[in-house]
């Protein structure tokens, strides 16, 4: 039985959730408690109580704690990766990569804890000096989705602690295992009681309690657009600082001068890896008409060759879909695409394997119009919509014609078009001849329009969300 970590103690609960392996639904990964509203209030109380002490801790103390956590994550990347692959369904290689990334993020913010800086300016008035300093925001509520069960918690928890905040962390209900393992490492890292708290459970209970409590000064949320909009309204009503990372409908533009091998690799990796369950996935592939048929032909050939199967088998390239409701959503969008008049070139079916899991064949639609629902709504599965463009200008217009703005990619050998695209794509991240999904851990992450709200995450830019600025005037 895996319990919540509240105020420096493991606290049980009556409500228990089974964590099921999506590659084999007979395999129970573990049992995890679900917090009550009272548990969440206790956790917030503990974080509130611990805030003053942690806010005044030395940078060295914070750096040491974060470094220890990062070190253990990196040392145990293989067993933690196996746990992650077992509960979420991404392949073992992808899962070990995710744990590695989480370790690197903690190490990065161990360094950042030592580099918190401010400004000193002369006043415009005589005899007065001005200091601008950064202080912790306070108690931070962290709400995360299921598709990156350890990296997303890491990129929120590490900066929160580095900049002197205390934390109440609510992981996704579907994947509590990796979150619990991370919390267990954090519980042994030397943090004072109450600085970090884990409350697993339902969004409607735990999330709602975090949003409703005035002692929580900031909410950082990653998840779906619908939930994010509710979070924004409730957080704003209490003047909480809020940061949202939501969905995407990311375009990958392939121009006729692109290196075909590079473009196919970008399309396959960006669209289908991690079973398409990435906010940065290239779900719209916009191809210049001159190469449209040839590109589709080659893409279908490669997609059919992808090996879908149990996440822990070494030969698997595409793991299962994370749960039955996501599988149903994928199947529903295949029907919607057909009804809208798009042409299904391959995939889009539930697959049987040696184990009973949620396996789904990667799908490609051609003849897609950018106005169709399959081109406008986030499917969050391995489904590509290939859209024809007359030329570069048309491709750019199609790429930007979306409610989202997380990431955009282009495959071209033209410096002129690549440079123009980097400037004109209405997104937070642009990729030239690299897949839209797959980013570094030391630079900002986030988007525009319907994809994001508030300050950027990760890298040095994380300081904007996790600190508040104070301006002090002193007359000498
Ligand atoms: P979700 O919105 O269903 O859940 C996200 C989290 O919110 C979970 O922890 C959930 O329990 C919690 N929650 C649910 N209802 C709540 C409520 N009423 N109040 C407060 N919290 C509540 O999202 P998901 O299905 O777990 O994740 C998939 C989504 O996440 C996709 O849309 C994907 O694009 C997005 N995502 C975005 C990024 C990014 O950085 N832009 C990264 C990964 C995933």
């Amino acid at each position: 039985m895996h319990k919540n970590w509240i105020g420096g103690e493991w606290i049980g609960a009556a409500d228990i959730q089974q964590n099921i392996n999506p590659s084999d639904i007979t395999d129970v990964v573990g049992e995890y408690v679900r917090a009550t509203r009272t548990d969440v209030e206790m956790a917030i109380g503990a974080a509130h109580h611990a805030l003053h002490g942690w806010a005044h801790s030395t940078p060295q103390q914070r750096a040491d704690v974060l470094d220890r956590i990062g070190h253990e994550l990196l040392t145990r990347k293989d067993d933690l990766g196996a746990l992650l692959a077992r509960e979420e369904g991404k392949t073992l290689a992808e899962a070990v990569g995710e744990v590695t990334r989480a370790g690197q993020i903690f190490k990065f913010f161990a360094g950042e804890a030592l580099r918190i800086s401010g400004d000193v300016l002369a006043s415009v008035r005589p005899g007065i000096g001005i200091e601008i300093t950064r202080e912790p925001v306070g108690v931070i509520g962290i709400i995360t989705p299921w598709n990156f069960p350890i990296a997303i918690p890491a990129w929120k928890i590490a900066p929160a602690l580095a900049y002197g905040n205390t934390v109440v962390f609510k992981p996704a209900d579907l994947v509590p295992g990796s979150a619990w393992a991370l919390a267990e490492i954090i519980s042994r890292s030397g943090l004072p009681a109450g600085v970090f708290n884990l409350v697993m459970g339902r969004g409607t209970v735990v999330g709602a309690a975090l949003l409703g409590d005035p002692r929580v000064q900031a909410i950082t949320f990653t998840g779906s657009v619908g939930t994010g909009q509710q979070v924004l309204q409730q957080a704003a009503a209490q003047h909480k600082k809020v940061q949202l990372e939501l969905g995407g409908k990311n375009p990958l533009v392939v121009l006729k001068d692109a290196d075909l091998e590079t473009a196919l690799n970008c399309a396959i990796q960006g669209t289908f890896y991690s079973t398409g369950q990435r906010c940065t996935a290239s779900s719209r592939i916009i191809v210049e008409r001159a190469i449209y048929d040839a590109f589709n032909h080659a893409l279908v050939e490669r997609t059919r060759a992808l090996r879908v199967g149990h996440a822990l088998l070494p030969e698997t390239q595409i793991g299962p879909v994370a749960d039955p409701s996501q599988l149903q959503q994928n199947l529903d969008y295949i029907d919607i695409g057909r009804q809208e008049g798009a042409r299904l070139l391959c995939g889009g079916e539930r697959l049987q394997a040696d184990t009973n899991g949620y396996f789904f064949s990667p799908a490609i639609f051609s003849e897609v119009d950018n106005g169709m629902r399959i081109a406008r709504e986030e499917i969050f599965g391995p489904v590509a919509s290939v859209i024809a463009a007359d030329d570069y200008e048309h491709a750019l217009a199609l790429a930007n014609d979306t409610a989202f703005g997380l990431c955009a990619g282009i495959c071209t050998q033209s410096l002129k078009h690549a440079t123009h695209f980097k400037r004109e794509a209405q997104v937070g991240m642009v990729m030239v001849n690299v897949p839209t999904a797959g980013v570094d851990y030391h630079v900002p992450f986030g988007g525009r329009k319907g994809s994001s709200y508030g300050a950027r995450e990760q890298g040095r830019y994380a300081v904007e969300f996790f600190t508040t600025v104070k301006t002090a005037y002193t007359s000498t």
Side-chain angles (χ1 to χ4, degrees):
M1 172 72 56
H2 297 82
K3 298 177 180 174
N4 284 317
W5 177 249
I6 300 174
E9 286 176 45
W10 293 106
I11 307 284
D15 192 4
I16 310 289
Q17 183 206 349
Q18 285 199 332
N19 186 359
I20 304 292
N21 178 351
S23 297
D24 175 2
I25 60 173
T26 62
D27 176 28
V28 178
V29 179
E31 294 193 324
Y32 295 82
V33 300
R34 283 196 180 111
T36 61
R37 196 180 177 88
T38 311
D39 294 331
V40 186
E41 284 166 2
M42 264 170 57
I44 296 169
H48 183 66
H49 186 71
L51 180 62
H52 186 267
W54 187 244
H56 291 83
S57 59
T58 63
Q60 189 63 54
Q61 197 180 347
R62 297 181 204 168
D64 288 345
V65 164
L66 293 169
D67 191 62
R68 272 195 286 277
I69 299 166
H71 178 77
E72 183 165 345
L73 287 167
L74 293 175
T75 310
R76 292 178 50 201
K77 64 181 181 354
D78 292 325
D79 64 290
L80 292 169
L83 169 68
L84 199 163
R86 199 170 150 217
E87 74 168 345
E88 198 269 351
K90 64 184 62 175
T91 65
L92 189 57
E94 290 169 335
V96 171
E98 185 181 334
V99 177
T100 305
R101 181 190 173 109
Q104 288 164 333
I105 288 168
F106 273 95
K107 292 255 184 191
F108 175 85
F109 283 106
E112 287 305 282
L114 300 168
R115 284 190 281 269
I116 304 168
S117 61
D119 294 311
V120 176
L121 281 80
S123 168
V124 292
R125 290 169 283 164
I128 294 178
I130 301 175
E131 293 153 56
I132 302 166
T133 50
R134 289 194 177 271
E135 296 185 0
V137 179
V139 175
I140 312 267
I142 294 179
I143 304 175
T144 58
W146 51 260
N147 64 329
F148 283 92
I150 204 159
I152 293 179
W155 81 54
K156 295 178 188 294
I157 295 167
L161 297 177
Y163 298 121
N165 303 281
T166 58
V167 166
V168 181
F169 166 42
K170 182 240 171 290
D173 338 16
L174 192 63
V175 288
S178 305
W180 188 91
L182 174 61
E184 196 276 328
I185 292 171
I186 297 175
S187 77
R188 291 182 284 100
S189 64
L191 278 179
V195 172
F196 170 82
N197 304 271
L198 169 75
V199 276
M200 300 174 288
R202 296 182 199 280
T204 46
V205 176
V206 179
L210 282 171
L211 286 162
D213 197 311
R215 294 172 296 177
V216 177
Q217 276 99 0
I219 295 282
T220 172
F221 171 92
T222 300
S224 61
V225 173
T227 314
Q229 277 165 353
Q230 285 177 40
V231 167
L232 178 60
Q233 280 172 14
Q234 290 173 44
Q238 286 198 354
H239 289 215
K240 291 188 199 307
K241 199 169 182 182
V242 62
Q243 173 181 63
L244 307 177
E245 289 301 341
L246 309 173
K249 198 71 199 174
N250 310 293
L252 172 71
V253 169
V254 181
L255 296 185
K256 63 182 181 219
D257 69 359
D259 175 68
L260 186 62
E261 198 55 32
T262 304
L264 287 168
N265 281 335
C266 287
I268 293 282
Q269 284 191 36
T271 311
F272 299 132
Y273 280 24
S274 296
T275 322
Q277 297 170 157
R278 295 190 284 195
C279 51
T280 48
S282 335
S283 45
R284 292 184 298 145
I285 305 180
I286 300 169
V287 183
E288 240 184 309
R289 212 176 288 282
I291 58 161
Y292 189 77
D293 290 337
F295 182 82
N296 278 340
H297 183 76
L299 186 63
V300 168
E301 205 166 87
R302 296 210 179 192
T303 302
R304 285 208 171 111
L306 290 170
R307 292 183 299 272
V308 180
H310 195 298
L312 292 172
L313 292 176
E315 65 270 23
T316 296
Q317 291 173 290
I318 311 288
V321 176
D323 78 342
S325 65
Q326 183 61 54
L327 177 63
Q328 191 55 51
Q329 180 164 311
N330 295 355
L331 293 166
D332 289 348
Y333 272 108
I334 297 297
D335 285 344
I336 291 167
R338 280 197 175 114
Q339 283 160 21
E340 288 180 308
R343 194 164 148 226
L344 185 65
L345 297 183
C346 68
E349 289 170 337
R350 184 160 189 184
L351 296 176
Q352 301 303 322
D354 292 342
T355 50
N356 187 3
Y358 308 122
F359 302 108
F360 176 83
S361 50
I364 300 171
F365 276 116
S366 70
E367 323 302 324
V368 177
D369 182 281
N370 200 44
M372 291 179 181
R373 284 183 63 191
I374 54 166
R376 302 212 80 78
E377 298 170 14
E378 186 181 53
I379 300 173
F380 218 54
V383 182
S385 290
V386 192
I387 302 165
D390 300 333
D391 51 22
Y392 166 72
E393 283 72 23
H394 186 211
L396 174 66
L398 288 168
N400 284 334
D401 178 11
T402 172
F404 295 103
L406 189 56
C407 195
I410 188 165
C411 290
T412 180
Q413 299 195 60
S414 155
L415 181 62
K416 181 178 150 203
H417 290 326
T419 306
H420 189 263
F421 190 79
K422 279 194 274 187
R423 203 175 299 135
E424 297 300 325
Q426 293 160 6
V427 290
M429 297 173 289
V430 191
M431 310 291 185
V432 178
N433 296 323
V434 277
T436 57
V439 293
D440 284 9
Y441 66 86
H442 66 307
V443 288
F445 178 93
R448 300 186 191 175
K449 293 157 73 177
S451 290
S452 299
Y453 184 88
R456 284 283 185 275
E457 301 200 82
Q458 300 191 61
R460 291 175 57 200
Y461 288 69
V463 77
E464 296 300 333
F465 182 74
F466 290 100
T467 62
T468 183
V469 163
K470 183 178 275 174
T471 312
Y473 295 79
T474 308
S475 172
T476 48

